[in-house]
Amino acid sequence: MKEKNKGVFIIAEIAQAHDGSLGLLHSYIDAVARAGVDAIKFQTHIAEAESSEHEPFRVNFSYEDKTRFDYWKRMEFSLDEWKGIKAHCDEVGLEFMSSPFSNTAIDLLEQVDVNRYKVGSGEVNNFLLLEKIAKTKKHVIISSGMSSYSELDNTVAFLKERQVDFSILQCTTSYPTKPEQYGLNVINELKDRYKVPVGFSDHSSSIETCIAATVLGAEILEFHVVFDKTMFGPDAKSSLTIDETSALVDSIRNLERAFENPIDKNDNSKFHGLKQIFEKSLAINKDLEKGHEITFLDLEAKKPKGYGISADNYVQVIGRKINKRMKKWDFLNDDDLI
């Protein structure tokens, strides 16, 4: 999936880094836009529709929410607030994205006019939610974090049956993800298995992972972003800072330019001038009398090229005699030899 004639589609996920603060959320929009990503992604939670009092905390981080339900409730925004969020994204040139966690959330996002849907790892087997999304006829990005291939096969078949345009992200549901958990090998496995655009959803808190994924052919990158990794919240330690995000975007765009400009190693004509400077000519490393038979130990190679026999032809010189007396460090040419 490529957008606006660009290469890798880069998504900065804010998720709940705003901690329920609308003002903080809008600050993220401005900061992420300056970092140069393509899209900013949130999560749309409607507590009554997606959760219950029985839902446990994944990470017991909260000092103000007694239950996970209470946390999701505190993360909610109204329809008008979501519309304002999207309008701000439009103003700064970011695509607004938000993952729904209920069919009710999809209804809300349709009113906000979201362009595509991102389905989180925990929703890949939620065919009720996927059916609702399929009816919108919009592109779907699936995160494969907790899914086996057999589960993904079922989801892919479900989407294909409904003629849904979709992409898949390799993802490891571990926060933060350790190097041995990256699963970079899965990127090409997914490409080969499903023949759709494939990307990488990262929780490593390091820019190296997305750079490696890009080199391996990822067309979409998604990663969490936070102002500071010591901030409150479940994802802060698995996120990139704004500065790291800027550095990552620069790296990805540089790689794209490299991919677009392959080097032809059969043609080194552009280096003609440099070769004259850096390559070397044969020279004598000691005073030699006329008639001396050249040995390997008599030779040195000196810059620049073109003032003596090329150093790559030294074998043709060994065993030949010089026709005159030569001084140490003199260049050696064909007309000096018998």
Side-chain angles (χ1 to χ4, degrees):
M1 180 190 68
K2 296 183 179 181
E3 298 294 315
K4 302 176 183 177
N5 297 316
K6 292 183 179 180
V8 179
F9 187 63
I10 304 177
I11 306 167
E13 177 166 8
I14 303 306
Q16 276 70 245
H18 52 72
D19 197 42
S21 165
L22 190 62
L24 186 57
L25 183 152
H26 281 282
S27 296
Y28 272 114
I29 294 174
D30 288 327
V32 166
R34 288 192 294 269
V37 304
D38 298 300
I40 185 169
K41 191 180 83 68
F42 304 97
Q43 295 179 3
T44 300
H45 294 281
I46 299 175
E48 288 86 351
E50 74 173 78
S51 185
S52 72
E53 62 182 8
H54 305 292
E55 182 188 3
F57 279 100
R58 171 171 62 82
V59 179
N60 190 15
F61 64 89
S62 181
Y63 292 93
E64 55 185 311
D65 306 299
K66 292 184 179 180
T67 67
R68 186 74 157 164
F69 179 94
D70 294 335
Y71 176 65
W72 296 134
K73 189 70 178 175
R74 194 164 58 81
M75 293 302 107
E76 292 181 10
F77 295 110
S78 69
L79 174 60
D80 284 344
E81 288 170 334
W82 277 117
K83 287 182 176 180
I85 293 166
K86 182 181 184 298
H88 189 176
C89 293
D90 292 342
E91 288 170 6
V92 296
L94 290 173
E95 178 177 332
F96 164 81
M97 297 178 66
S98 188
S99 293
F101 289 84
S102 64
N103 284 20
T104 304
I106 295 171
D107 288 333
L108 184 150
L109 289 172
E110 282 298 293
Q111 293 182 76
V112 178
D113 195 25
V114 69
N115 186 50
R116 78 187 84 222
Y117 284 95
K118 161 67 195 303
V119 175
S121 298
E123 308 295 330
V124 174
N125 297 318
N126 183 354
F127 284 6
L128 180 72
L129 182 127
L130 292 178
E131 185 73 76
K132 181 82 169 181
I133 291 175
K135 293 180 184 301
T136 71
K137 306 297 182 184
K138 293 178 179 178
H139 184 91
V140 181
I141 302 173
I142 299 170
S143 197
S144 65
M146 293 186 285
S147 301
S148 66
Y149 273 128
S150 62
E151 291 174 320
L152 281 176
D153 288 346
N154 291 334
T155 298
V156 167
F158 182 91
L159 295 174
K160 285 185 173 180
E161 183 179 344
R162 287 153 181 78
Q163 299 183 318
V164 175
D165 184 34
F166 68 95
S167 308
I168 301 178
L169 305 184
Q170 158 55 10
C171 170
T172 299
T173 309
S174 178
Y175 306 81
T177 312
K178 299 176 182 178
E180 57 268 28
Q181 299 173 313
Y182 291 168
L184 293 167
N185 60 294
V186 179
I187 293 171
N188 282 308
E189 290 178 9
L190 291 170
K191 284 177 176 282
D192 293 340
R193 190 179 187 96
Y194 299 119
K195 312 299 183 187
V196 297
V198 169
F200 192 80
S201 179
D202 184 40
H203 304 115
S204 71
S205 189
S206 170
I207 69 171
E208 67 191 27
T209 322
C210 282
I211 292 173
T214 300
V215 174
L216 291 171
E219 299 177 53
I220 309 164
L221 297 175
E222 178 190 61
F223 47 87
H224 286 261
V225 176
V226 72
F227 282 130
D228 189 288
K229 295 182 185 185
T230 63
M231 288 179 70
F232 179 87
D235 302 314
K237 291 181 175 61
S238 308
S239 303
L240 299 183
T241 64
I242 298 300
D243 286 345
E244 287 174 327
T245 300
S246 297
L248 175 59
V249 172
D250 288 344
S251 296
I252 299 307
R253 299 312 180 207
N254 286 339
L255 285 172
E256 287 172 347
R257 285 193 288 274
F259 297 150
E260 291 166 1
N261 295 277
I263 299 299
D264 180 3
K265 286 298 286 182
N266 291 309
D267 179 13
N268 65 348
S269 58
K270 293 180 180 178
F271 299 107
H272 177 75
L274 288 176
K275 285 171 72 67
Q276 296 300 119
I277 295 172
F278 287 107
E279 292 188 1
K280 296 181 177 181
S281 305
L282 289 180
I284 299 301
N285 64 12
K286 58 178 71 71
D287 292 342
L288 297 176
E289 297 299 324
K290 179 179 178 180
H292 179 83
E293 185 176 303
I294 298 295
T295 70
F296 180 83
L297 298 178
D298 297 324
L299 298 174
E300 185 56 271
K302 294 174 58 176
K303 293 179 284 189
K305 180 180 180 178
Y307 279 75
I309 297 168
S310 178
D312 60 348
N313 290 325
Y314 82 93
V315 173
Q316 299 173 20
V317 173
I318 303 299
R320 295 177 69 183
K321 296 180 179 180
I322 57 173
N323 58 22
K324 63 182 180 181
R325 187 176 185 277
M326 298 190 70
K327 294 180 180 180
K328 185 179 181 179
W329 305 132
D330 282 349
F331 284 109
L332 183 64
N333 286 280
D334 280 324
D335 58 10
D336 299 322
L337 298 168
I338 301 173

